[in-house]
Amino acid sequence: KKERLNITETTQYQAQRKWNSPNSGSLLINTDATISSHKARIGIGIITRDWQGNVIKVWAKGEQKNSLPLEEEALEVRWALLKAHEAGWSNIIVQTDCKSLIDNVKGKDTNDSSIATILEDILDLEQIFLKCSFSFIYREGNTCNHKLANFAT
């Protein structure tokens, strides 16, 4: 017998599949990292929007290096937090399409020693903000950032 999702689960599932604006007064920072193994390059894209959907700031960078996907996703979130702090923002939501990173940040999965130091930095930086949270979004809801990160490679 097939189980049915309840309305709350369905709504949460749909919300993760598309970009939604944050609550009034918050900034939503979407991040993505891509790796081009044949070029030995990585690209990072960060887009910050306000509660009205207005783009506040965009950052992108590319680097010549080989790296692991989870490590690059963690580095990009750390970079986003540093940029948010530099900008003087105090109420932020950081969103990424890397579920395993979100699980690590929220303490659900702490077995990956390859990002332990970066994760520690992220958790320390989180304390700087008045309000800081992390959430997962599917790639379909993060397409702008994915394209930006690809462009940066």
Side-chain angles (χ1 to χ4, degrees):
K1 187 175 178 180
K2 193 173 181 179
E3 283 187 45
R4 290 181 179 220
L5 290 175
N6 67 35
I7 292 173
T8 304
E9 290 171 335
T10 303
T11 303
Q12 288 171 345
Y13 177 78
Q14 290 170 341
Q16 293 174 338
R17 293 267 180 203
K18 66 177 188 157
W19 187 89
N20 288 307
S21 62
N23 292 331
S24 179
S26 297
L27 295 174
L28 181 58
I29 304 171
N30 288 94
T31 66
D32 196 27
T34 60
I35 297 176
S36 174
S37 55
H38 71 280
K39 292 182 193 175
R41 287 191 60 82
I42 62 100
I44 293 175
I46 300 170
I47 301 174
T48 303
R49 295 181 187 96
D50 67 13
W51 61 96
Q52 296 173 319
N54 298 314
V55 174
I56 303 300
K57 198 77 169 174
V58 175
W59 295 281
K61 70 177 177 177
E63 291 183 46
Q64 191 79 36
K65 70 178 191 177
N66 285 314
S67 188
L68 299 172
L70 182 58
E71 183 180 350
E72 284 309 317
E73 296 282 354
L75 287 168
E76 117 216 339
V77 167
R78 182 177 68 184
W79 190 46
L81 291 169
L82 289 168
K83 290 298 190 183
H85 178 61
E86 286 174 15
W89 301 334
S90 61
N91 187 353
I92 62 169
I93 302 163
V94 179
Q95 201 169 57
T96 180
D97 60 11
C98 183
K99 178 80 166 87
S100 58
L101 177 60
I102 293 301
D103 288 345
N104 271 276
V105 169
K106 291 186 174 185
K108 294 177 185 174
D109 178 13
T110 55
N111 296 328
D112 200 321
S113 61
S114 70
I115 64 163
T117 303
I118 304 165
L119 184 61
E120 201 173 292
D121 289 347
I122 290 169
L123 296 174
D124 286 345
L125 286 165
E126 176 187 16
Q127 301 306 309
I128 293 171
F129 301 95
L130 184 62
K131 186 174 180 187
C132 177
S133 61
F134 302 89
S135 67
F136 168 74
I137 186 167
Y138 285 95
R139 169 81 46 88
E140 296 91 332
N142 209 28
T143 54
C144 283
N145 289 77
H146 185 69
K147 289 177 182 179
L148 182 62
N150 276 330
F151 178 75
T153 59

